Amino acid sequence: MTTSSTTSSRWRALTRHHLFWPVAVLVLLLLVNVPFTPDFFSVRMADGHLYGSLVSIVLFGSPLILVAVGMTLVIATGGIDLSVGAVVAITGALACSYISDQHDQGALSGVLLAMGLGLLAAVVCGLWNGFLVARMGIQPIIATLIIMVAGRGVAQLITDGQIITINSEPYKLIGGGYWLTLPFSIFVVAAVVAVTVALTRRTALGLLVEAVGGNAEASRLVGIRSRRIKIMVYMFCALCAGIAGLMISSNTSAADGNNAGLWIELDAILAVVIGGTSLLGGRFSIGGTVVGALVIQTLTTTIYTIGVPTQTNLVFKAAVVIVVCLLQSPKFRAKVFGAKFAARFAAKGGAKPAAATADPAAATEAAPKMEVS
Amino acid sequence: MAEPRPVLEMAGIVKEFPGVRALSDVDFRLFPGEIHALMGENGAGKSTLIKVLTGVYSLDGGTITLDGRSVRIASPLQAQQAGISTVYQEVNLCPNLSVAENIFIGREPTRMGRIQWKRLRREAAELVDRLGLDIDVSAPLSSYPLAVQQLVAIVRSLNTGAGDGEGPGTKVLILDEPTSSLDRDEVLQLFALMRRLKEEGVAILFVSHFLDQIYEVCDRMTVLRNGTLVGEHMVSDLDQVGLVQLMLGKAMGQLDELHEHQLRSDAGDTLVQADGLGRTGGIAPFDLEIRKGEVIGLAGLLGSGRTELARLLFGADQPDTGKVTIGGRRVSMSAPNDAIGAGVAFCSENRKSEGLVPDLTVRENIILALQASRGWTRPIPVAQRDELVAKYIKALDIRPANPEARVGQLSGGNQQKVLLARWLITQPKLLILDEPTRGIDIGAKAEIQKLVVSLSEEGMSVLYIAAELEEVLRLSHTIGVLRDRRLVAQIANGPEITTSRILETIASGEHQ
């Protein structure tokens, strides 16, 4: 911090920022697309709607962002929620089957009621998860596995094993409609993210969540009602998944109990990790998670645009994810870049910014972690 | 030079953390066959220097010379390979494995991929024998007391340095507060081993907060203060008072003043009344009255039920029997919340596992208890929060005085102060301090004790637990003596009460 050169210290502060690596990876991924799709960054107007790759990435990434934002809080408490994919399916199934039973599928009141019903079911799922984890003391991964497996069955029951298709204009708006030239789902995501940030950072909820995840016993001994907080967080996570479920079923105008939100829990966990929140709990970053979810969606888009054969695209995705995770690891960076750079530049007084950044950051981040483990 | 060549020489060592210069231009040397004490207050840079030497932290400046050759130590493994072995305060071994397995773990002698168990046990037994220890190497480590486990850790670290016979052998052995949880006999056992290793030419770097131990076993000492080198002295040339003055940078006498403040035992009304409070397996039912402004010290051996008593009064464990009234109101004690609501605060003896949230900042850790009592919907207004935090950082002299610093990076004494600040901010009526001065240096110890006295004068009641009887005696109006998980006596403090009388009570279980 006492470096003489201001550009160096500014650069250092920038690379130390918790969003630096996720954003860097996102930008890199976006740039990879340009040689394959020269007009990748262009956004054009047609029929009063904005179109373009960037818009589609956000549009298709919306459900993932929602699920990942809820997952972030659960992970911050030291837990995990595997049931979100099933909750997506249940919510969509319930909402669509209610709408399909109406005479007038386009009636706003019916649609609102359907959405309310779906979200209520989601919140009940969250309450169940929270109850098992916080009250019964069951390990989160096991507790949420129950709904992950059983939830799809429930969704099938609701839809009688069929794919329910509906034809409802108001319902279509959530996941497939446009407002002010932009896809409506972008506004939904923006609202949820804003509410989450306000809820965690404008109140003390964020601090208490981080305390519970960072040291559960210490939190109990300072009088934090950690059970209540955990239940709330699982409910919130399920609510986010529920909104994502409405969005997905609205986008296709159909409820598919089998495939809606399939494996979204894994993408969401990945997004949270890429966003810089530790799976051990404690510090979390909603902004990081949003970037993380965009990274994953961009990756999916990129796989299609650069023409990776379909049968290998999961392997390709896995490879990129490994690289991203390695880049984020301070230890890895120190090993690959740090030692070399540090040795070379330390002798010259460490004036070069790149050298000054990698090593000290890595050392201070890595060192306390060793004590913990 | 008349002196022999040092085995280890560190020159101009610099280590910086964000916002803190932990070491600036520190020189340090270590000669073969000596026991060298590294002295300084908490936060003076002792641990940092050791971590730089063992490769846990990277250097920001300076050189390390080992056996006349300049070395770069980038990891703990490299340090071991270079012949620098370390044993930390906490024993990092596997209690469920045998002593022999622990000594050789990760480096078992193998033939064609199979572990040669007989050879492993034989070699372990030889090692243990050579060092004059009487340990059955095939018994599980957990069957031995902590002190023996510590010795096994030393044996293991010596053997690590030796490698597979290719390595240079251990030249430097670092013992970071190995004695803090040992009793007197166990300490002597450790010292015997240290002297034996010294005769074999090993250079030992010894860190301890017990000055008497330093004077008993060490030859030379290096004193650090605020990350800078104060001086290097032969132990025989510097007396304890001189040493403490060097460490603190100011004259002593603080602790003596306490006696003057003391004994103004005109405590007020009853604040806490416990009747028949007890918990099976924890502590037998006891009655205890704590008056307003009274300091009650708990004396007793480790495991005598001191902590268990404190935890019941805080609701950290739930009592099976009895009741507690605080300020005339019955408190159920089914959870810490109940006690906190009634104005009780509790600083656990386990700072790391039960106190701090290491990933959070100093500020967040300080406001945690107050925020928890307000609930999540009512955050403390930013201006008020910053003012409170700044006030307590200043009042308790928490270093670095940076509310954004991560608490995990602070030294032990400063972490303890953060915990104190966390509870003082809630303005409790009863403050329970369980071993608040353990593992922290004499300067911080004196500050915390002075704080207890002034809090008591302001009318706060304090339940004070400490292993050192002098400390309990110095601070308390009333001394509760525990033995075998039973509160056996409550003694009003006075001029005629001495540590030996307390010891008698602990030994006999009754107070004459």
Side-chain angles (χ1 to χ4, degrees):
Chain A
M1 287 283 169
T2 51
T3 325
S4 52
S5 153
T6 51
T7 49
S8 147
S9 63
R10 220 176 270 164
W11 173 256
R12 206 194 280 204
L14 183 69
T15 56
R16 279 230 186 107
H17 193 274
H18 66 274
L19 286 180
F20 177 81
W21 286 101
V23 170
V25 168
L26 179 60
V27 169
L28 194 74
L29 266 178
L30 289 170
L31 290 176
V32 165
N33 281 280
V34 175
F36 299 91
T37 323
D39 61 345
F40 186 76
F41 285 102
S42 75
V43 175
R44 62 187 191 284
M45 185 78 105
D47 304 336
H49 298 166
L50 288 175
Y51 287 100
S53 305
L54 293 183
V55 179
S56 342
I57 286 173
V58 182
L59 172 61
F60 294 127
S62 294
L64 179 59
I65 296 177
L66 289 176
V67 173
V69 162
M71 184 74 79
T72 308
L73 295 186
V74 169
I75 286 178
T77 63
I80 201 154
D81 188 349
L82 297 182
S83 72
V84 286
V87 172
V88 162
I90 292 175
T91 314
L94 210 58
C96 287
S97 74
Y98 183 84
I99 291 173
S100 72
D101 287 346
Q102 305 295 307
H103 290 297
D104 176 13
Q105 295 196 359
L108 190 62
S109 59
V111 169
L112 286 178
L113 205 58
M115 287 166 56
L117 214 59
L119 294 181
L120 184 70
V123 171
V124 170
C125 289
L127 181 64
W128 169 254
N129 286 335
F131 171 78
L132 290 183
V133 171
R135 284 273 155 193
M136 299 288 115
I138 297 175
Q139 286 181 2
I141 198 166
I142 300 301
T144 56
L145 199 61
I146 296 171
I147 293 188
M148 178 188 182
V149 177
R152 294 235 168 245
V154 173
Q156 301 267 20
L157 275 179
I158 295 169
T159 61
D160 281 336
Q162 308 291 314
I163 296 178
I164 299 178
T165 51
I166 54 168
N167 184 11
S168 166
E169 272 309 307
Y171 192 65
K172 181 81 190 167
L173 178 71
I174 316 166
Y178 282 81
W179 191 50
L180 298 175
T181 77
L182 282 170
F184 188 74
S185 53
I186 291 181
F187 294 98
V188 175
V189 167
V192 170
V193 170
V195 166
T196 311
V197 170
L199 202 63
T200 51
R201 298 302 180 197
R202 292 279 152 183
T203 73
L205 188 62
L207 173 65
L208 299 188
V209 163
E210 287 176 337
V212 169
N215 188 340
E217 179 60 9
S219 301
R220 187 178 80 91
L221 291 180
V222 298
I224 296 175
R225 293 177 164 81
S226 55
R227 285 177 180 171
R228 211 180 279 180
I229 286 185
K230 279 188 182 167
I231 291 176
M232 263 172 58
V233 159
Y234 278 92
M235 284 167 69
F236 182 78
C237 178
L239 179 67
C240 288
I243 300 173
L246 296 179
M247 206 176 260
I248 290 172
S249 62
S250 147
N251 187 268
T252 54
S253 284
D256 180 351
N258 240 344
N259 291 309
L262 195 61
W263 306 131
I264 199 170
E265 59 278 347
L266 301 184
D267 274 351
I269 293 167
L270 207 53
V272 173
V273 172
I274 291 176
T277 300
S278 162
L279 281 179
L280 296 174
R283 281 265 181 239
F284 68 90
S285 160
I286 299 290
T289 295
V290 172
V291 175
L294 288 174
V295 165
I296 288 173
Q297 188 58 45
T298 308
L299 181 58
T300 310
T301 306
T302 308
I303 286 171
Y304 291 122
T305 55
I306 69 176
V308 175
T310 345
Q311 63 271 31
T312 57
N313 82 34
L314 282 180
V315 175
F316 182 83
K317 194 170 170 185
V320 174
V321 166
I322 291 170
V323 171
V324 171
C325 290
L326 284 177
L327 270 179
Q328 294 217 347
S329 148
K331 265 189 194 165
F332 176 83
R333 291 205 306 269
K335 274 223 167 72
V336 175
F337 313 113
K340 235 190 294 172
F341 278 104
R344 196 183 314 157
F345 291 103
K348 297 179 188 172
K352 271 275 167 65
T357 52
D359 202 37
T364 48
E365 275 172 42
K369 275 184 192 138
M370 299 183 67
E371 287 172 17
V372 172
S373 62
Chain B
M1 275 202 302
E3 287 174 313
R5 197 181 64 175
V7 57
L8 171 79
E9 219 168 348
M10 300 171 81
I13 301 295
V14 176
K15 178 68 201 171
E16 286 178 353
F17 293 116
V20 200
R21 201 178 174 103
L23 290 175
S24 57
D25 204 19
V26 171
D27 299 333
F28 178 75
R29 50 187 196 154
L30 203 55
F31 292 89
E34 74 165 351
I35 302 179
H36 191 125
L38 186 57
M39 303 298 299
E41 288 188 89
N42 282 316
K46 300 186 302 269
S47 302
T48 312
L49 189 70
I50 289 176
K51 284 180 177 169
V52 163
L53 179 56
T54 52
V56 176
Y57 292 158
S58 61
L59 272 181
D60 290 336
T63 57
I64 301 178
T65 314
L66 192 65
D67 257 351
R69 275 199 313 249
S70 172
V71 289
R72 232 186 86 79
I73 299 169
S75 71
L77 185 65
Q78 278 187 21
Q80 284 182 8
Q81 285 164 348
I84 302 172
S85 304
T86 317
V87 175
Y88 291 104
Q89 188 172 355
E90 288 100 19
V91 179
N92 294 315
L93 297 176
C94 310
N96 52 336
L97 299 183
S98 73
V99 170
E101 284 169 308
N102 269 297
I103 292 176
F104 280 99
I105 200 164
R107 290 164 296 106
E108 300 87 350
T110 55
R111 182 192 290 153
M112 295 171 64
R114 282 179 54 240
I115 295 177
Q116 297 171 284
W117 291 106
K118 272 188 188 158
R119 187 174 146 208
L120 184 145
R121 274 194 287 275
R122 195 185 63 234
E123 289 186 5
E126 282 168 9
L127 266 171
V128 167
D129 248 18
R130 189 165 66 84
L131 295 168
L133 303 174
D134 179 24
I135 302 174
D136 173 10
V137 296
S138 56
L141 186 71
S142 56
S143 63
Y144 287 104
L146 199 62
V148 176
Q149 297 187 18
Q150 193 104 47
L151 298 178
V152 171
I154 293 175
V155 173
R156 170 181 161 71
S157 74
L158 290 172
N159 184 52
T160 316
D164 308 319
E166 308 154 12
T170 295
K171 293 173 202 147
V172 175
L173 175 64
I174 301 171
L175 301 174
D176 191 357
E177 294 205 38
T179 56
S180 56
S181 33
L182 306 189
D183 68 27
R184 182 66 199 152
D185 285 347
E186 296 170 334
V187 168
L188 289 180
Q189 218 176 339
L190 176 70
F191 284 179
L193 177 60
M194 284 167 66
R195 293 200 179 97
R196 199 169 182 114
L197 291 170
K198 172 181 149 181
E199 278 162 25
E200 291 185 10
V202 177
I204 299 177
L205 173 56
F206 182 65
V207 178
S208 169
H209 281 120
F210 300 101
L211 296 186
D212 291 337
Q213 294 180 0
I214 302 291
Y215 278 85
E216 191 175 338
V217 76
C218 294
D219 305 308
R220 190 192 294 264
M221 61 174 97
T222 295
V223 184
L224 300 178
R225 187 169 70 231
N226 289 335
T228 56
L229 176 71
V230 177
E232 187 201 85
H233 301 270
M234 296 304 292
V235 169
S236 48
D237 295 345
L238 186 69
D239 65 1
Q240 291 207 14
V241 175
L243 171 61
V244 170
Q245 280 172 359
L246 282 183
M247 283 163 58
L248 295 176
K250 56 191 167 207
M252 265 283 277
Q254 298 173 321
L255 289 178
D256 296 334
E257 285 171 33
L258 285 177
H259 261 296
E260 308 302 315
H261 286 296
Q262 196 47 48
L263 303 178
R264 217 184 295 155
S265 174
D266 47 351
D269 312 332
T270 301
L271 175 70
V272 178
Q273 178 72 51
D275 292 316
L277 200 64
R279 178 182 162 91
T280 320
I283 184 163
F286 63 89
D287 299 332
L288 184 68
E289 183 197 5
I290 305 176
R291 284 166 299 165
K292 195 166 176 297
E294 184 180 32
V295 180
I296 295 204
L298 294 186
L301 301 173
L302 207 68
S304 61
R306 300 178 314 207
T307 298
E308 287 77 2
L309 189 155
R311 287 177 67 92
L312 281 191
L313 278 180
F314 184 65
D317 297 324
Q318 281 67 57
D320 309 324
T321 61
K323 63 183 174 88
V324 183
T325 52
I326 299 177
R329 285 235 306 274
R330 174 89 192 266
V331 180
S332 76
M333 291 292 170
S334 58
N337 282 321
D338 300 325
I340 293 168
V344 184
F346 172 63
C347 289
S348 164
E349 60 178 333
N350 302 313
R351 279 196 294 273
K352 281 207 174 113
S353 59
E354 296 177 357
L356 299 162
V357 186
D359 270 348
L360 297 187
T361 62
V362 169
R363 174 198 293 138
E364 288 168 324
N365 270 286
I366 288 180
I367 65 165
L368 207 50
L370 182 60
Q371 187 59 65
S373 68
R374 290 169 68 106
W376 67 272
T377 51
R378 291 197 305 137
I380 307 164
V382 174
Q384 189 193 341
R385 178 194 74 184
D386 290 349
E387 194 193 319
L388 270 174
V389 169
K391 180 178 147 197
Y392 279 91
I393 286 179
K394 187 151 177 275
L396 298 181
D397 192 20
I398 294 170
R399 285 183 240 175
N402 173 12
E404 300 287 343
R406 273 188 28 199
V407 119
Q409 289 181 343
L410 267 57
S411 67
N414 284 305
Q415 290 182 342
Q416 185 66 56
K417 288 180 188 173
V418 167
L419 285 183
L420 274 170
R422 171 191 288 176
W423 287 113
L424 292 181
I425 231 171
T426 65
Q427 300 179 322
K429 298 190 188 110
L430 170 66
L431 179 62
I432 302 174
L433 299 174
D434 192 356
E435 298 269 16
T437 57
R438 179 161 74 189
I440 70 176
D441 64 80
I442 185 153
K445 254 183 200 175
E447 282 175 47
I448 285 172
Q449 293 178 27
K450 277 205 295 190
L451 183 72
V452 168
V453 170
S454 69
L455 288 172
S456 138
E457 281 172 357
E458 285 164 21
M460 193 184 292
S461 310
V462 180
L463 185 70
Y464 194 93
I465 301 176
E468 284 181 45
L469 278 181
E470 291 83 0
E471 218 173 298
V472 173
L473 209 59
R474 192 181 299 133
L475 293 175
S476 311
H477 300 122
T478 307
I479 298 157
V481 179
L482 289 118
R483 183 189 143 96
D484 297 338
R485 300 185 176 258
R486 196 173 285 280
L487 183 63
V488 291
Q490 295 182 51
I491 306 166
N493 201 354
E496 75 286 357
I497 304 294
T498 58
T499 49
S500 52
R501 286 195 60 179
I502 303 280
L503 278 173
E504 278 169 29
T505 312
I506 292 174
S508 66
E510 41 198 69
H511 178 59
Q512 282 84 33

